[in-house]
Amino acid sequence: MKEILLCKYGEILLKGANKRYFEDTLTRELRIRARCYGNFDVYRAQSTLYVEPKDESADVDGMFEAARKVFGIVSVGRSVMCEKNMDAICELAKTYLPEKLSGKRTFKVEGRRSDKSFPLGSIEISREVGGAILSVCPWLKVDVHNPDVVVRVEIRELGAYVHAGQMKGAGGIPVGTGGKGMLLLSGGIDSPVAGYMMAKRGMKLEAVYFESFPYTSEQAREKVMELARLVAVYSGPIDLHVISLTEIQEALVKACEEDYFTLLLRRYMMAIADKLAEKYGCQALITGESLGQVASQTPMALHVTNILANRPVFRPCIGMDKEEIVQIAYKIGTFETSILPYEDCCTVFTPKHPRTKPELSKVEAQEKRLDFDAYVERALESIQTYRITAQY
Ligand code: ATP
Ligand code: MG
């Protein structure tokens, strides 16, 4: 029996005049995924995206899971289509559903008729199909209030669909509809989550990772590449830029007071990320900062770094507890990689007493001990770019 997938989208429906643009972007994203799972037709009708296998080689199970990770889709259902007459629909329900309903105790049928020329109303459709199911699944009972499973039968333009339940999709809005963001991606828990959250709001991602070889290792870089790959499952391909901060860190250690070291380093990161954002057409920067998590994430410390950005800095984790961030990291599959114990450039030469209420003027006075712009330019020359694509 040929199962097809019906993907429903939510927020896009509210987009009024721009709805078409959002729908087109979503369709394109789904098609890119579908290509990895075999020969599928992806088309839309009545605010639903249909993913239909065209031959035996198409991996419907794989595509089902992949579709659930596409932002903009709120639910994905598996269903089988037949002709729009009650005999065909009941026959299909009797052959398709028993296996899907084994292990369930109660059910109800929800008939829906969006093709108003169909002679039966939704209540009659539900009653007839319910009877057909009971005739082949004697272990089931009808429960209209709190059923284990809801069987949907829809009479649509293209045919009649019998659904075997649906699962939640990724939600959000399609990637590409919210501009492009430059994610400051470290090897930690927070920044991959921050990237995921902004991609969910439609941002295409580009990323920058700052390393400090030989103080940070080749494995640390590979770990960040793996994190980018995991985020790319949701966001689509990410161009990851790797920038060396070794020279800057060594100079800072020699020239500046230790207490200011982390802040000064973070100012370099912000300035460099901002320059990259300009070069690669990103309208925003994204970080995994969370208020009060560490000394460099107090309001005053954030101000000292924020001031160097010439565009909005999105910090989706700012109001979240670590526990909440960890939960998302688990859900999206980055946690296990994030906790691998490789050092980050922020953790080499860390001061014992970092400033938590830094004054901008004092930070700037420290900074003047080095030629800031020249160091930024030289760091930018160290750029290495990798195109990171996920295995969907
Ligand atoms: P995480 O590393 O997961 O983001 P954290 O608690 O380690 O969390 P910090 O090290 O203080 O946070 O860094 C705050 C933010 O600065 C990070 O979320 C990230 O956006 C950025 N950042 C820190 N280190 C780097 C780095 N080496 N390369 C790129 N961005 C970085
Ligand atoms: Mg970190």
Side-chain angles (χ1 to χ4, degrees), residues 186-191 266 293 297 344 346-347:
S186 68
I189 296 168
D190 309 331
S191 46
R266 299 196 60 78
Q293 193 186 77
Q297 295 173 30
D344 182 59
C346 285
T347 53

Side-chain angles (χ1 to χ4, degrees), residues 183-194 207-212 216 224 227 241 243 245 262 265-266 269 273 286-290 293-297 302 314 317 322 325 338 343-347:
L183 170 66
L184 283 81
L185 182 62
S186 68
I189 296 168
D190 309 331
S191 46
V193 169
V208 53
Y209 164 60
F210 297 102
E211 66 175 10
S212 198
T216 63
V224 172
L227 286 171
H241 310 286
I243 298 277
L245 290 185
T262 307
L265 184 65
R266 299 196 60 78
M269 285 188 186
I286 304 167
T287 77
E289 288 157 317
S290 163
Q293 193 186 77
V294 289
S296 59
Q297 295 173 30
L302 289 171
F314 292 148
C317 301
K322 195 74 187 185
I325 302 172
S338 286
E343 58 303 295
D344 182 59
C345 68
C346 285
T347 53

Side-chain angles (χ1 to χ4, degrees), residues 165-182:
Q166 54 187 5
M167 287 182 77
K168 237 176 129 171
I173 52 179
V175 170
T177 59
K180 192 154 75 156
M182 180 64 72

